[in-house]
Amino acid sequence: MRIEIDRSRCRGAGQCALHAPELFDQSEEDGMVVVLDDQPPPELLERARLAERLCPNSVIRVLDDEQSRGGPAG
């Protein structure tokens, strides 16, 4: 799994940091998303997916292992 973000679209809502603090934080400078671990262990997949779903600006993208390697999405 790999986490990608589009920081340019982030508006600092903080849902990611609230629901998955082991994966996300917010910058003290501008409140924008900060990824703490872009390749987290599999046991954090559901937390990453929750943050992805809850992001109001669709900034977060969670890629499975196949997508992370550039293979076909399945």
Side-chain angles (χ1 to χ4, degrees):
M1 163 179 49
R2 188 178 74 210
I3 297 172
E4 293 182 350
I5 59 166
D6 182 351
R7 202 166 190 276
S8 68
R9 293 175 40 204
C10 181
R11 298 295 175 254
Q15 294 302 304
C16 56
L18 179 65
H19 294 282
E22 55 279 274
L23 298 173
F24 302 97
D25 199 356
Q26 289 180 273
S27 167
E28 290 187 25
E29 295 174 5
D30 58 11
M32 302 302 174
V33 63
V34 175
V35 178
L36 301 176
D37 187 353
D38 68 346
Q39 295 184 343
E43 58 267 18
L44 293 178
L45 174 62
E46 288 306 312
R47 300 284 276 199
R49 293 268 186 222
L50 177 63
E52 179 182 41
R53 285 192 309 273
L54 293 176
C55 180
N57 294 299
S58 301
V59 169
I60 301 166
R61 185 171 175 214
V62 179
L63 305 172
D64 64 27
D65 290 335
E66 189 74 19
Q67 292 170 309
S68 295
R69 289 189 293 270

